[in-house]
Amino acid sequence: MSPRVRIAIVGGGISGLTAAYRLRRALGSDARIDLFESSGRLGGVLHTATVGDRAVDVGAEAFIVRRPEALELVTELGLADRIVSPTPRRPAVWAGERLHPLPSPALMGIPAGPTVVGGLVDPADLVRMAEEPGRPMSWQAGADMAVGELVAERFGPSVVARSVDPMLGGVYSSLAGDIGVREALPALARSLDVGTPSLTAAVDALIAAGADATGPVFGALVGGYEVLLDALRTAAGVDLEIASPVTELTPWAGGWMLGVDGAGDRPPYDGVILAVPAWRAGDLLDRSVPDLSAPLREVRRASSVVVSIALAPGTVLPEHSGVLVGTGESLRAKAFTFSSQKWAHLSGGDLPVSVRASFGRFGAPVPDEITEPGVDARLRRDALEDLDEVCRAAGVPPVSSRVVDVYVQRWDEGLPVYAPGHLAAMTQVLAARPPRLALAGSSYAGVGVPACIGRAGRAAAELLDDLT
């Protein structure tokens, strides 16, 4: 392989940085790896900000440690000593103007029987759940449908609104009715494909299969994701071009030419990885690979906003790790994370108490400043009023008078919508990619950090295969 190989990576989020690191490890120090990021910073939807004089994540805050990708990468970069596990506190669900225990056991919010959601869902749906094992299943093997449609038909709509929506909404910024079963719960789809006779039986079997798993499910990094991003950037040894939007890709003699906003002609690249959202990749390929561009541009996208709140040291919060809000409830926030109670390293002593409020989802985006001038100030008020309401319901004093800092982080079009059929469409896209062009990011194999890291590694491997 030529020591002068030139690679371009478009997108400086966790996917682009991971792909750059994997390529550097494989190609050595002589390769030139240019990384183009259209915004003014690296990280994409991972962002660590200073709120109340402390570093907190205002994008994703945790990763699944039972998947290997993130844990292996963090360890490989020498950051294993920074991994921390959540405290034993559990989230609550807000429904009917009060707090309820999070249903458990459950499969991504799909409860294992009516006793798990007693007092949370409508009495008629408790009866529906109890009778569900005796009703014929209408599931068609190989078909896809929305999680919300399946659960509403089998268990009832209140189960969706008060248990499944709150859980899935935090992961996908979408309601269960917009998310495919195969996309969010592939093991459940496989179980039903082979003839499991009821949703109850399928959920029970999957929960039982995971019952022997030990240790924490989630992990976070002391210092926030900024620590991982900095380590990746250093180890990847990229030539970084910040605030440099790529405008077009054109095939050239076995490689690719890049058009970069505000820049002159550049030498061609031997290979390119597009580590950007699917719709952005589709725009870049519109002229050169229109057949690939079309399905990428059709991927729908969800927006959200995080309001990070620092409260005075010693502020008392409800005895939970956070609150997930049921669909159709009076609170305007869709969730709260009591970060200082969820993560021990963010608690104690004279440290500010950290809380996150989340707003917006697919189909109900938060307006921007053009549509609603002063919207960020309104979100701050909404977050604090909702938080006070939650505190009153839990029997603790309101906290809005104890605010020391607030930070609003907007994630416009931050996540792809994993609608029914999305993964099948993306599988076809990946199979049809042209030589020396690979795709990475949250659009292809899952929205979580481990999934993005895994897809970035596969994109780098695909490109290396093309180069040999």
Side-chain angles (χ1 to χ4, degrees):
M1 188 177 297
S2 169
R4 296 183 180 179
V5 64
R6 290 171 50 86
I7 304 295
I9 296 178
V10 183
I14 185 67
S15 298
L17 287 167
T18 299
Y21 169 66
R22 294 299 179 202
L23 289 168
R24 178 63 68 196
R25 291 288 300 272
L27 296 172
S29 59
D30 289 333
R32 181 180 178 97
I33 303 175
D34 291 346
L35 190 150
F36 297 88
E37 169 55 43
S38 62
S39 74
R41 65 168 185 84
L42 295 176
V45 295
L46 302 184
H47 183 33
T48 307
T50 300
V51 187
D53 295 325
R54 74 191 315 176
V56 295
D57 283 312
V58 293
E61 63 159 0
F63 57 90
I64 297 174
V65 297
R66 291 182 183 173
R67 285 192 61 155
E69 299 95 337
L71 188 60
E72 288 176 354
L73 179 62
V74 169
T75 301
E76 189 175 335
L77 291 168
L79 301 174
D81 61 341
R82 288 183 172 267
I83 300 173
V84 291
S85 301
T87 68
R89 290 185 177 93
R90 300 247 319 146
V93 175
W94 179 269
E97 308 301 317
R98 66 187 183 93
L99 294 167
H100 303 258
L102 182 72
S104 180
L107 180 70
M108 286 298 284
I110 305 177
T115 59
V116 174
V117 287
L120 174 64
V121 305
D122 292 343
D125 288 342
L126 293 175
V127 174
R128 188 179 188 88
M129 290 181 67
E131 295 175 345
E132 192 269 341
R135 291 165 40 218
M137 281 289 294
S138 58
W139 180 269
Q140 298 294 317
D144 203 357
M145 66 189 304
V147 176
E149 180 184 0
L150 172 66
V151 178
E153 194 277 325
R154 303 302 298 181
F155 285 176
S158 69
V159 178
V160 176
R162 301 172 198 167
S163 186
V164 186
D165 274 348
M167 181 63 70
L168 289 180
V171 177
Y172 293 94
S173 285
S174 300
L175 295 177
D178 298 311
I179 304 169
V181 176
R182 295 187 187 281
E183 283 65 29
L185 297 161
L188 177 60
R190 290 192 296 269
S191 176
L192 295 175
D193 281 347
V194 298
T196 302
S198 68
L199 180 60
T200 299
V203 169
D204 286 347
L206 291 171
I207 291 173
D212 292 336
T214 59
V217 177
F218 297 101
L221 293 171
V222 175
Y225 272 119
E226 182 178 40
V227 173
L228 174 58
L229 297 172
D230 287 347
L232 277 172
R233 176 183 176 179
T234 300
V238 295
D239 288 284
L240 182 60
E241 300 203 30
I242 290 286
S244 298
V246 174
T247 57
E248 189 174 9
L249 270 71
T250 305
W252 178 90
W256 294 85
M257 296 285 290
L258 265 64
V260 182
D261 191 25
D265 292 338
R266 293 171 177 269
Y269 288 93
D270 299 293
V272 175
I273 291 181
L274 290 182
V276 294
W279 48 93
R280 176 64 179 140
D283 290 342
L284 293 174
L285 297 170
D286 186 36
R287 292 186 182 180
S288 57
V289 196
D291 290 344
L292 197 67
S293 170
L296 289 169
R297 296 176 73 179
E298 289 174 0
V299 175
R300 296 179 293 179
R301 69 285 316 246
S303 301
S304 63
V305 175
V306 171
V307 179
S308 181
I309 305 166
L311 302 168
T315 300
V316 177
L317 293 171
E319 194 59 31
H320 302 287
S321 62
V323 175
L324 307 176
V325 180
T327 303
E329 298 296 325
S330 60
L331 297 187
R332 290 148 294 190
K334 66 180 180 183
F336 288 96
T337 303
F338 302 152
S339 302
S340 292
Q341 297 187 165
K342 183 175 181 178
W343 305 105
H345 70 286
L346 295 178
S347 67
D350 58 355
L351 296 173
V353 174
S354 181
V355 175
R356 289 164 45 116
S358 299
F359 294 85
R361 56 170 61 94
F362 174 68
V366 177
D368 57 22
E369 285 285 344
I370 296 175
T371 306
E372 182 187 332
V375 64
D376 284 1
R378 191 260 293 172
L379 289 172
R380 294 185 187 98
R381 292 193 301 271
D382 289 349
L384 291 170
E385 289 174 4
D386 284 358
L387 183 56
D388 280 349
E389 181 66 19
V390 169
C391 289
R392 280 190 286 268
V396 301
V399 300
S400 55
S401 63
R402 297 180 61 81
V403 174
V404 297
D405 197 8
V406 179
Y407 184 99
V408 178
Q409 176 64 59
R410 182 177 296 273
W411 298 113
D412 295 323
E413 299 185 346
L415 288 175
V417 176
Y418 270 61
H422 172 79
L423 284 179
M426 292 302 100
T427 297
Q428 293 179 350
V429 164
L430 294 174
R433 68 177 182 87
R436 300 196 175 198
L437 175 71
L439 300 165
S442 62
S443 300
Y444 305 101
V447 299
V449 170
C452 290
I453 291 171
R455 177 61 216 154
R458 292 190 293 276
E462 291 162 1
L463 189 58
L464 289 168
D465 285 344
D466 290 346
L467 293 172
T468 55

